[in-house]
Every structure is written in structure tokens, then in C-alpha cells.
Amino acid sequence: MDSVENQVYVIIYSTLFLGGIMSTFVISMVFIHRQRQAQNRQKVDQIKSEHEKTLLNIENEIQQDTLTQIGRELHDNIGQLLSLAKLNFGSLKPEKHAEGKEILNQVIQEVRGLSKTLNLDWVESISLSEFIEQQLERINNTGFCETVLEADVELVDLPKDQKLVLIRVIQESLNNAIKHASPDKIGIKIYRDGLNRRIRIQDDGSGFDTSLQTNGSGMHNLKKRMDTIGGEFKLTSAVGEGTEIILTLPN
């Protein structure tokens, strides 16, 4: 009888012991799961904060560039038109007054066009392909170098945050080519590679040694910006062989 009771006690204690271990295990797993959830929430909040900060910086940069462009237009274009209108109105000939009125109408149209660029509404009203075409045309019109655009894919309906980042990355890539590469030709191709949409920015300029680029370089910042929207930035260059940048758009 004692033997049976002992066995019962052993079974009871074993069950309680195993139950305690299981309870401890379950509580530990719940605790670890909650910790991981908290860490994941923290990571998500950090990524979201970095994303919003990146977009704000990009908006500020684009607005600053826009103001610089407007200042240039006011000085070089509208200022000259107003001076010409003044000369015409100062004439005693009636036909000159008519020419002056036509010039003033042109000035009004120019000012209206500039006013539309004071905010970022134009980002939503223009496709990325149209923006690229405008940028290349502007470079081509200066006579600095030849530009070519190939578009096998139409980039439409991109979210505003993606379009903002892509616009700024493309602007900076073109500015770097103009400032540092002294190319004879800059080409941009928009194409599809499998499921991916890509933008290739290529110049035949001086190129550079990519191993000399540091973490604080502009190219590193462009890569980080593409990362924030789930895209990719890849640069290939060599001294004397030009530079190629491939932007992979987020799917």
C-alpha cells in the first residue's frame, strides 16, 4: 500500500513539477514575444521617422532649388522683358506702345507660370518621365552636352513620396555629372528588367575611383534615400570610363 501511495505522490509531484516547468516556459515565451513586439514597434517607428525626415529634407531641397530657379528667371528673363517693355512705353510711336503691351502680357504669363512652382503641387501634376525629359532638355539647351532619353516604360501613378525621392536622386545624379564628369553625352533610359522597373543614368565623362568614396559622400546619401522607399541605388564607374547609375524602383 505504501508503495502505491509513494507512486501516486511521485506522479503528483512529477505532474506539478512538469506543470511548473511548462508554465515557466509559457510565461517566458510570452515575455520574449512581447519584448520582440516592442522592439519591432520601435524599429517600425524609427524607420517611419527616418522616412518622414528624409521626405521633409527632400521637399526643402526641391523648394530651395525652385526658389533659386525662380530668382534666376526673375533676373534673366522677366527683368529683361520689363526693361524692354519700359523702353517701348517710353517711345512716342503708337506701335511701340502696342509692343510694350504684348511684352507685359508675356510677363504676366511668365509670372503665373513661376507662381505654380512655388509649392510642390507640380510634383503630382507631372509624370516622372516628363520630369526627366524636362531636365535633359534644360541641359541640352545650355549647350553643355548632348542628352538622350529612352523610355520603354511609362512611369505613371507613382506615390508622391516615391516620386519626390526619385526626382531628387535624379537631379543630384545629373548635377554630379555636370559638375564633376565633364561629359559629352548624358543618357537616361527607363526600362523594365523582369519584374523590376529601372532608370539608368549614364555619362561618358571622366569617371572616378569608387573605392575612394566614403560613407559621408553624396552617393552614399543617394543610396540611403532609395532605401527609404524600398528601392535600390547601384553605381558603377572607373577613371576615364564614365559613370553608370541604376535606380531600381520599388515594386
Side-chain angles (χ1 to χ4, degrees):
M1 188 70 178
D2 291 340
S3 176
V4 174
E5 288 181 356
N6 290 337
Q7 288 180 356
V8 171
Y9 286 137
V10 169
I11 293 172
I12 293 173
Y13 289 140
S14 298
T15 303
L16 291 174
F17 178 72
L18 290 174
I21 292 177
M22 289 299 296
S23 298
T24 303
F25 176 75
V26 170
I27 292 171
S28 298
M29 291 301 295
V30 170
F31 178 74
I32 292 171
H33 178 67
R34 288 181 177 176
Q35 267 194 328
R36 287 178 178 173
Q37 279 186 323
Q39 290 172 352
N40 288 337
R41 280 196 297 269
Q42 188 176 3
K43 287 181 181 178
V44 169
D45 290 341
Q46 184 179 356
I47 292 172
K48 184 178 179 181
S49 176
E50 290 178 357
H51 180 72
E52 291 175 349
K53 183 178 179 181
T54 297
L55 291 180
L56 181 61
N57 288 338
I58 288 173
E59 287 182 353
N60 288 336
E61 289 171 4
I62 292 176
Q63 286 173 338
Q64 187 61 44
D65 281 355
T66 300
L67 289 173
T68 300
Q69 180 186 343
I70 289 174
R72 196 158 45 236
E73 286 292 322
L74 287 172
H75 180 270
D76 297 341
N77 183 22
I78 294 177
Q80 291 182 6
L81 287 173
L82 288 173
S83 297
L84 186 59
K86 181 180 178 181
L87 289 174
N88 279 280
F89 284 125
S91 174
L92 297 177
K93 298 178 180 180
E95 61 270 20
K96 290 295 182 181
H97 290 187
E99 288 181 20
K101 289 180 180 179
E102 289 181 8
I103 294 171
L104 282 181
N105 286 330
Q106 185 179 348
V107 169
I108 291 170
Q109 294 301 319
E110 293 284 345
V111 170
R112 284 176 177 171
L114 288 176
S115 67
K116 292 179 181 179
T117 65
L118 285 173
N119 53 46
L120 293 178
D121 290 344
W122 62 269
V123 172
E124 296 182 356
S125 65
I126 190 172
S127 73
L128 193 62
S129 301
E130 291 172 330
F131 168 78
I132 293 172
E133 185 176 4
Q134 288 180 4
Q135 294 297 300
L136 292 181
E137 184 179 359
R138 185 175 299 168
I139 294 172
N140 198 61
N141 289 340
T142 64
F144 178 80
C145 70
E146 180 187 354
T147 61
V148 178
L149 172 62
E150 296 179 59
D152 300 335
V153 178
E154 186 66 25
L155 299 176
V156 295
D157 299 329
L158 290 174
K160 184 178 178 181
D161 61 338
Q162 292 184 14
K163 196 186 294 187
L164 275 171
V165 170
L166 289 165
I167 282 174
R168 195 56 184 160
V169 169
I170 291 167
Q171 280 182 329
E172 283 299 299
S173 298
L174 291 174
N175 287 340
N176 287 333
I178 292 170
K179 291 178 182 178
H180 307 297
S182 302
D184 295 320
K185 183 177 179 180
I186 297 176
I188 294 183
K189 182 175 182 178
I190 307 169
Y191 63 102
R192 186 176 292 279
D193 183 7
L195 297 177
N196 295 315
R197 293 170 298 170
R198 303 189 198 276
I199 300 173
R200 185 182 69 200
I201 306 168
Q202 195 170 30
D203 70 70
D204 61 358
S206 56
F208 59 94
D209 185 352
T210 56
S211 65
L212 300 179
Q213 294 297 298
T214 65
N215 288 338
S217 70
M219 293 301 174
H220 179 74
N221 292 333
L222 296 183
K223 183 180 184 305
K224 283 182 64 178
R225 289 183 168 185
M226 288 299 294
D227 288 343
T228 64
I229 60 170
E232 294 180 6
F233 178 95
K234 181 182 178 183
L235 183 145
T236 305
S237 186
V239 176
E241 297 183 9
T243 300
E244 179 186 76
I245 293 171
I246 295 180
L247 308 177
T248 301
L249 278 64
N251 291 323

